[in-house]
C-alpha cells in the first residue's frame, strides 16, 4: 500500500512537471511568434532563403525609389479595439474608380507592397491603398494578428476608402503571405459589393495549421499539446485562438472571385496549402503555380507570367 502511494505521488509529480513545461512552452511560443518584438528566430531560416535575383529586387529594386517618390496621403483609423492604425493612399495618375488595396506579410510594412503597387499604378491605372497591419510599422498593437483581427481592420479600411472615394469605387484586395491570409479571412465576411476580386499570394490555410507545420519543421516538436496551450495563451493575451484564425473556413463562405498564387518551392508555407484553399473556395477561383519560386518569390521569379495572369484575372471581374 505504501509503495502505491509513493508511485501515485511520483506520477502526480511528473504530470505537474509536464503541465508546467507545457504552460511555459505556450508562453514561449506566443512571445516567439505573436508578441510584437524582434524575431531573431527567423534569421538563417533556410525556408525563407531566396535567390540572389530576388534579394536584389527586394532590397534595391527601382520600386523602392518609386515608392519613396510618391505623394502618399497618410490616413489614420481607430480599430474596433482602440488601436491607432496607419494607412497610405495614392491617387492614380489618371482619375479612376479602380483601387488596389494591399496587405503586407509577417514583419513587413505598408510600403513593401509597392513592389506590386507600382504595376497596378503605372500599368493598370489603379489608385493604391496600403496599410501597416496591427503590430507592424507605424500602426499600434502589441501582438501580431496573423490575419484574423486584421480582417476586421481591413473591413473598416474598406468603409473608409468608400467614404473617401465614393460608392462607385471598384476594389481588388491583394495580399502576400500573412497579408494573403488576411484578405482571404476577410473574404468570408460581408464585404461591400465594391470588392470585385481578391489576389492571395503565398497564403496559409490557417494559423493553427501553419504553427503545427513550423513547430515540427523548425523545432522538431509534436503538435500536441503545445499548439493547444499556445492557442490558450494567445486567446488570453491577444483575444483570438489559433484554431479560429482560419482562411480555409472563410473561403468556404466567400462570394468574391479569388486568384491564388504560390511557388512550388515554397517550404515556409507549403504549396499544398494553396491547393487546399483553391479546392475549398466557394466562389470563382484560379490557382497559378510558379516553378522554382520559394515563399513570396513568384513575382520576381517570373514577372511576365505573374502580370499576365493577374491582368487576365482582373479583366474578368474589373473590366
Amino acid at each position: 500500500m505504501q509503495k502505491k502511494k509513493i508511485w501515485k505521488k511520483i506520477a502526480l509529480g511528473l504530470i505537474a512537471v509536464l503541465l508546467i513545461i507545457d504552460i511555459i512552452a505556450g508562453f514561449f511560443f506566443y512571445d516567439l511568434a505573436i508578441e510584437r518584438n524582434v524575431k531573431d528566430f527567423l534569421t538563417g531560416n533556410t525556408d525563407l532563403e531566396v535567390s540572389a535575383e530576388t534579394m536584389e529586387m527586394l532590397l534595391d529594386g527601382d520600386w523602392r525609389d518609386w515608392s519613396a517618390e510618391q505623394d502618399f496621403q497618410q490616413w489614420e483609423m481607430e480599430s474596433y479595439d482602440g488601436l491607432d492604425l496607419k494607412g497610405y493612399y495614392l491617387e492614380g495618375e489618371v482619375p479612376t474608380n479602380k483601387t488596389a488595396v494591399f496587405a503586407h506579410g509577417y514583419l513587413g510594412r505598408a510600403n513593401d507592397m509597392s513592389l506590386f503597387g507600382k504595376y497596378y499604378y503605372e500599368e493598370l491605372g489603379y489608385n493604391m491603398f496600403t496599410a501597416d497591419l496591427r503590430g507592424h510599422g507605424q500602426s499600434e498593437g502589441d501582438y501580431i494578428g496573423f490575419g484574423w483581427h486584421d480582417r476586421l481592420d481591413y473591413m473598416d479600411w474598406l468603409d473608409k476608402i468608400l467614404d473617401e472615394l465614393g460608392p462607385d469605387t471598384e476594389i481588388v484586395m491583394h495580399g502576400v503571405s500573412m497579408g494573403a491570409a488576411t484578405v482571404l479571412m476577410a473574404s468570408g465576411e460581408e464585404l461591400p459589393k465594391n470588392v470585385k476580386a481578391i489576389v492571395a499570394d503565398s497564403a496559409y490555410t490557417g494559423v493553427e495549421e501553419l504553427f503545427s507545420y513550423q513547430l515540427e519543421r523548425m523545432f522538431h516538436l509534436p503538435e500536441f499539446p503545445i499548439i493547444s496551450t499556445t492557442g490558450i495563451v494567445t486567446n488570453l493575451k491577444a483575444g483570438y485562438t489559433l484554431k479560429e484564425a482560419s482562411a480555409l473556413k472563410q473561403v468556404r463562405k466567400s462570394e468574391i472571385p479569388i486568384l491564388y498564387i504560390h511557388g512550388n518551392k515554397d517550404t515556409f508555407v507549403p504549396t499544398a496549402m494553396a491547393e487546399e484553399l483553391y479546392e475549398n473556395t466557394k466562389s470563382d477561383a484560379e490557382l497559378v503555380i510558379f516553378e522554382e519560386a520559394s515563399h513570396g518569390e513568384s513575382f520576381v521569379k517570373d514577372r511576365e507570367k505573374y502580370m499576365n495572369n493577374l491582368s487576365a484575372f482582373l479583366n474578368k471581374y474589373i473590366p
Side-chain angles (χ1 to χ4, degrees):
M1 187 65 119
Q2 188 66 26
K3 286 184 178 180
K4 285 185 178 180
K5 288 184 178 179
I6 292 172
W7 280 111
K8 185 176 181 180
K9 288 182 179 179
I10 291 172
L12 289 173
L14 286 172
I15 291 171
V17 169
L18 290 173
L19 283 173
I20 291 170
I21 291 173
D22 183 38
I23 291 169
I24 291 172
F27 278 93
F28 171 80
F29 283 108
Y30 175 87
D31 292 344
L32 186 76
I34 298 172
E35 186 172 351
R36 186 175 190 170
N37 54 35
V38 177
K39 305 298 184 188
D40 291 331
F41 77 99
L42 292 176
T43 303
N45 187 324
T46 56
D47 287 347
L48 290 172
E49 288 182 357
V50 295
S51 66
E53 173 194 14
T54 299
M55 186 60 70
E56 181 180 2
M57 173 62 73
L58 294 179
L59 294 178
D60 301 313
D62 62 355
W63 64 274
R64 286 201 177 274
D65 293 333
W66 175 86
S67 184
E69 292 166 358
Q70 303 310 308
D71 187 22
F72 282 92
Q73 299 175 27
Q74 180 171 300
W75 291 359
E76 295 188 13
M77 181 187 72
E78 184 176 318
S79 69
Y80 70 92
D81 52 352
L83 297 178
D84 181 25
L85 304 179
K86 297 292 195 296
Y88 311 89
Y89 173 73
L90 180 64
E91 186 176 359
E93 291 181 291
V94 176
T96 179
N97 68 332
K98 299 178 183 180
T99 299
V101 175
F102 294 100
H104 65 75
Y106 185 65
L107 305 185
R109 55 182 56 220
N111 67 353
D112 292 344
M113 297 306 291
S114 289
L115 175 66
F116 307 93
K118 183 175 184 288
Y119 174 71
Y120 275 90
Y121 183 82
E122 292 186 342
E123 302 298 328
L124 301 180
Y126 276 60
N127 305 314
M128 175 183 173
F129 174 82
T130 183
D132 287 324
L133 276 67
R134 57 173 55 212
H136 292 78
Q138 299 301 309
S139 289
E140 291 182 343
D142 58 7
Y143 69 87
I144 295 170
F146 277 91
W148 191 241
H149 287 173
D150 309 281
R151 87 193 193 284
L152 302 178
D153 298 336
Y154 267 76
M155 290 173 70
D156 289 338
W157 279 125
L158 290 173
D159 288 341
K160 183 172 180 61
I161 289 167
L162 294 178
D163 287 343
E164 294 285 340
L165 304 185
D168 294 331
T169 302
E170 296 184 315
I171 293 170
V172 53
M173 300 179 74
H174 188 141
V176 173
S177 190
M178 188 179 78
T182 297
V183 298
L184 292 180
M185 290 173 183
S187 78
E189 305 297 333
E190 290 189 23
L191 297 183
K193 297 298 184 183
N194 308 73
V195 181
K196 303 298 184 181
I198 286 175
V199 181
D201 184 337
S202 307
Y204 44 81
T205 51
V207 180
E208 185 176 67
E209 294 83 0
L210 179 66
F211 276 33
S212 297
Y213 170 80
Q214 292 294 352
L215 190 66
E216 192 283 326
R217 188 171 181 86
M218 294 177 63
F219 301 98
H220 309 292
L221 292 171
E223 173 183 341
F224 182 82
I226 295 173
I227 292 297
S228 297
T229 306
T230 304
I232 292 170
V233 174
T234 303
N235 199 22
L236 288 171
K237 299 189 75 172
Y240 70 94
T241 67
L242 305 185
K243 191 174 189 66
E244 71 179 325
S246 172
L248 188 63
K249 290 178 182 177
Q250 293 293 89
V251 300
R252 287 172 176 155
K253 301 184 293 179
S254 180
E255 302 288 344
I256 303 168
I258 300 173
L259 171 63
Y260 293 101
I261 293 170
H262 219 95
N264 73 337
K265 298 296 184 184
D266 192 342
T267 51
F268 192 74
V269 176
T271 313
M273 287 193 175
E275 294 168 344
E276 187 176 3
L277 285 163
Y278 169 70
E279 290 166 1
N280 283 273
T281 299
K282 178 183 176 183
S283 58
D284 291 345
E286 297 178 20
L287 171 63
V288 183
I289 301 297
F290 284 74
E291 302 297 321
E292 304 303 318
S294 60
H295 188 62
E297 199 181 19
S298 298
F299 184 77
V300 179
K301 274 293 185 181
D302 194 339
R303 182 180 297 199
E304 183 177 0
K305 177 180 176 180
Y306 197 108
M307 293 189 299
N308 287 343
N309 280 277
L310 174 63
S311 297
F313 178 77
L314 293 178
N315 285 338
K316 286 183 185 179
Y317 304 105
I318 314 179

